[in-house]
């Protein structure tokens, strides 16, 4: 009887392990597909409409939806960290940008310090000043279609960290222009989960 129970227990653990591997495989496949979509958008880009980009930055919120990290010369898509809601949106003004984010466990929305930034239309590059280090981050706008923005590099509100390797990372991000939430972020009426 003990052998039968032990055998059943082992079979159950193997089944659960296989299911977890399948679930992990599913999200990894989804991330790889999303990475291919992002890279495909970049490949089809001919030119960034700087006036349209500036209008979107100054009038709407921009929300990160995808992140890939460069490892050994290749992009690797990363899943969102479990239990960390993170960035609700970035709000740009003429010379400053703020990140609105949720802190765990209270689910309250906070606003970062102001980060100075400027956009160089000649090189399609956003430059942003660290508030921690004497350093200017840069990210190149690789794609913008009016609703989807893809940047390669570092953007201070999202990437300003205390670690020594703050400038050595390379990220590829897709962000979505969100026309609905800017006012609610600015006036404090934003609620987590609001799209």
């Amino acid at each position: 009887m003990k052998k039968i129970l032990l055998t059943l227990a082992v079979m159950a653990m193997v089944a659960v392990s296989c299911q977890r591997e399948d679930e992990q495989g599913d999200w990894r496949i989804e991330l790889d597909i999303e990475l291919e979509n992002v890279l495909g958008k970049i490949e089809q880009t001919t030119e960034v409409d700087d006036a349209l980009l500036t209008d979107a930055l100054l009038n709407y919120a921009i929300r990160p939806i995808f992140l890939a990290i460069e490892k050994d010369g290749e992009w690797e898509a990363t899943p969102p960290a479990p239990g960390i809601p993170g960035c609700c949106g970035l709000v740009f003004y003429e010379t400053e940008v703020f990140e609105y984010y949720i802190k765990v466990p209270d689910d309250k929305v906070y606003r970062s310090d102001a980060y100075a930034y400027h956009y160089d239309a000649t090189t399609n590059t956003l430059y942003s000043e660290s508030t921690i280090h004497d350093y200017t981050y840069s990210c190149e706008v690789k794609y913008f279609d009016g609703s989807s923005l893809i940047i390669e590099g570092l953007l201070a509100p999202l990437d300003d960290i205390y670690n020594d390797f703050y400038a050595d990372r390379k990220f590829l991000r897709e962000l979505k222009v969100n026309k609905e939430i800017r006012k609610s972020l600015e006036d404090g009426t934003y609620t987590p989960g609001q799209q």
Side-chain angles (χ1 to χ4, degrees):
M1 182 69 164
K2 286 183 181 179
K3 284 185 179 181
I4 293 173
L5 290 175
L6 182 59
T7 302
L8 290 173
V10 169
M11 289 172 58
M13 288 189 305
V14 168
V16 168
S17 175
C18 289
Q19 181 180 359
R20 285 187 185 144
E21 285 180 20
D22 286 345
E23 289 170 0
Q24 180 180 2
D26 288 347
W27 65 256
R28 173 53 53 201
I29 290 169
E30 290 174 17
L31 283 175
D32 289 343
I33 290 170
E34 187 59 32
L35 176 59
E36 289 303 316
N37 290 337
V38 167
L39 294 173
K41 288 177 183 177
I42 292 170
E43 285 178 15
Q44 72 180 356
T45 299
T46 55
E47 190 175 309
V48 174
D49 183 335
D50 297 312
L52 183 63
L53 175 61
T54 302
D55 180 66
L57 293 178
L58 295 178
N59 291 297
Y60 307 113
I62 311 295
R63 175 181 271 167
I65 60 167
F66 174 81
L67 173 67
I69 299 172
E70 187 182 58
K71 293 185 178 178
D72 300 324
E74 298 287 326
W75 291 114
E76 183 178 309
T78 60
I84 301 175
C87 181
C88 304
L90 301 174
V91 174
F92 288 79
Y93 297 94
E94 289 293 331
T95 60
E96 296 177 325
V97 57
F98 295 88
E99 177 187 8
Y100 289 82
Y101 59 94
I102 295 175
K103 268 190 179 177
V104 176
D106 63 5
D107 282 344
K108 185 177 174 189
V109 177
Y110 294 86
R111 186 178 87 170
S112 71
D113 292 334
Y115 288 87
Y117 86 95
H118 72 277
Y119 177 66
D120 180 348
T122 306
T123 61
N124 298 115
T125 303
L126 273 166
Y127 294 96
S128 50
E129 302 295 325
S130 171
T131 60
I132 301 169
H133 310 283
D134 182 19
Y135 189 76
T136 301
Y137 295 102
S138 66
C139 61
E140 184 181 350
V141 176
K142 303 298 267 184
Y143 174 86
F144 184 64
D145 66 2
S147 65
S148 178
L149 170 65
I150 299 173
I151 57 175
E152 181 180 313
L154 302 173
L155 183 61
L158 299 173
D159 300 318
D160 202 16
I161 61 172
Y162 286 98
N163 304 47
D164 290 337
F165 61 91
Y166 61 91
D168 298 331
R169 302 157 297 142
K170 190 170 181 186
F171 294 149
L172 182 67
R173 276 198 174 87
E174 182 173 15
L175 304 99
K176 281 289 184 193
V177 174
N178 191 308
K179 298 181 178 185
E180 308 300 322
I181 65 169
R182 181 176 178 126
K183 184 176 182 328
S184 65
L185 287 170
E186 291 174 319
D187 67 17
T189 60
Y190 177 87
T191 56
Q194 184 179 343
Q195 296 300 320

